[in-house]
Amino acid sequence: MYKVLVCDDDAAILDSVEIYLKAEGYSVLKAGNGLQALELLKENEIHCMVLDIMMPQMDGLTAMMKIRSTHNFPIILLSAKSEDTDKIAGLSFGADDYVTKPYNPLELVARVKSQIRRYVRLGSMQEKESLLTTGGLSLDKDTKIVTVDGEPVSLTAREYGILCFLMENMGRVLSSSQIYEAVWNEPSFRTEKTVTVHIRNIREKIEINPKDPKYLKVVWGLGYKVEKL
């Protein structure tokens, strides 16, 4: 589940944005000013931030400059100012998008989704050693999040373990016995059917056409592999 940090000194806006984002499946953290936002960043991995500019104690632009020294997740600025100079200043300080108040909450959600999709597929998350990618398929070993074309995929623990093992050995053909011993952590004994069932379930979740898989391939008589695309 991706986490979105919403920072605004207006409690009504915080609650409204939270409702709309949670309806789309996002986890939401709320802060009333820049200082609170920085404290939340110390203990949470954030995938996108919605940040108001005008706030007490620490304004949005100051907070953003501090955040940009250590984090690369997308930031969407909120502001009542609509002049081009304000937008340019916000983008120059490190924002990825700019939304002027009043705004349509559905548009804001669409912008959050777009930024997260771009971040997962093309952004700094791909630079993490824990992130395994091939084509549009990504697996983050830290967060245990699997996505296909930016959309999260729900896997069981065994399915995740199998996919992770195959992606760690991208392009290699691994037998059912090798997969079973690595994922179940016990000696294999007539395990081919068990692995086959899990492989089929994974394909149903990550492939557009499970009968003609793009990622998870079978090499008849030898085993399975995840293609490096």
Side-chain angles (χ1 to χ4, degrees):
M1 181 180 291
Y2 296 123
K3 287 185 179 180
V4 181
L5 174 56
V6 183
C7 185
D8 197 303
D9 62 329
D10 189 326
I13 290 178
L14 287 179
D15 293 341
S16 173
V17 174
E18 179 183 27
I19 290 171
Y20 280 94
L21 288 174
K22 282 189 172 182
E24 292 295 324
Y26 295 113
S27 174
V28 179
L29 298 176
K30 298 186 292 184
N33 57 61
L35 289 176
Q36 291 179 11
L38 293 177
E39 287 300 313
L40 287 172
L41 284 175
K42 294 178 181 179
E43 301 177 354
N44 296 275
E45 180 176 12
I46 303 300
H47 302 97
C48 185
M49 184 175 186
V50 178
L51 178 62
D52 186 32
I53 292 180
M54 300 301 294
M55 294 183 295
Q57 296 187 41
M58 181 182 288
D59 65 85
L61 294 181
T62 301
M64 184 167 60
M65 286 189 290
K66 292 180 178 294
I67 291 168
R68 279 290 176 250
S69 66
T70 54
H71 295 81
N72 287 321
F73 54 73
I75 297 176
I76 301 173
L77 284 181
L78 296 179
S79 177
K81 298 180 179 181
S82 59
E83 288 80 2
D84 288 341
T85 52
D86 295 316
K87 294 182 180 180
I88 292 171
L91 295 170
S92 298
F93 282 3
D96 297 273
D97 203 350
Y98 193 108
V99 177
T100 303
K101 297 178 180 179
Y103 55 85
N104 185 328
L106 294 178
E107 179 187 353
L108 178 60
V109 171
R111 289 174 182 265
V112 169
K113 292 175 70 173
S114 176
Q115 290 295 335
I116 289 178
R117 187 180 301 113
R118 185 177 296 112
Y119 177 53
V120 171
R121 295 184 62 186
L122 304 175
S124 64
M125 287 185 71
Q126 288 191 340
E127 299 172 4
K128 291 169 54 178
E129 293 183 0
S130 64
L131 190 71
L132 306 173
T133 63
T134 175
L137 174 64
S138 297
L139 183 150
D140 191 320
K141 294 193 291 183
D142 285 344
T143 63
K144 303 296 187 291
I145 292 175
V146 176
T147 62
V148 177
D149 296 330
E151 296 298 324
V153 177
S154 178
L155 300 177
T156 67
R158 296 295 191 199
E159 291 165 357
Y160 172 85
I162 291 172
L163 184 61
C164 184
F165 181 56
L166 289 169
M167 292 184 72
E168 287 175 333
N169 294 274
M170 202 94 68
R172 288 182 55 194
V173 179
L174 299 169
S175 68
S176 295
S177 296
Q178 287 175 305
I179 294 171
Y180 187 90
E181 290 176 1
V183 176
W184 274 261
N185 197 29
E186 60 184 43
S188 60
F189 179 70
R190 296 180 181 177
T191 58
E192 183 174 348
K193 186 175 181 180
T194 300
V195 173
T196 299
V197 170
H198 282 79
I199 291 289
R200 183 168 62 246
N201 292 338
I202 295 170
R203 277 179 168 172
E204 291 288 339
K205 296 177 180 180
I206 69 170
E207 303 285 0
I208 295 177
N209 182 3
K211 294 183 179 179
D212 184 21
K214 176 181 179 180
Y215 302 111
L216 214 173
K217 304 278 191 176
V218 60
V219 181
W220 297 109
L222 296 176
Y224 306 93
K225 69 174 179 176
V226 167
E227 290 282 18
K228 186 172 182 61
L229 303 176

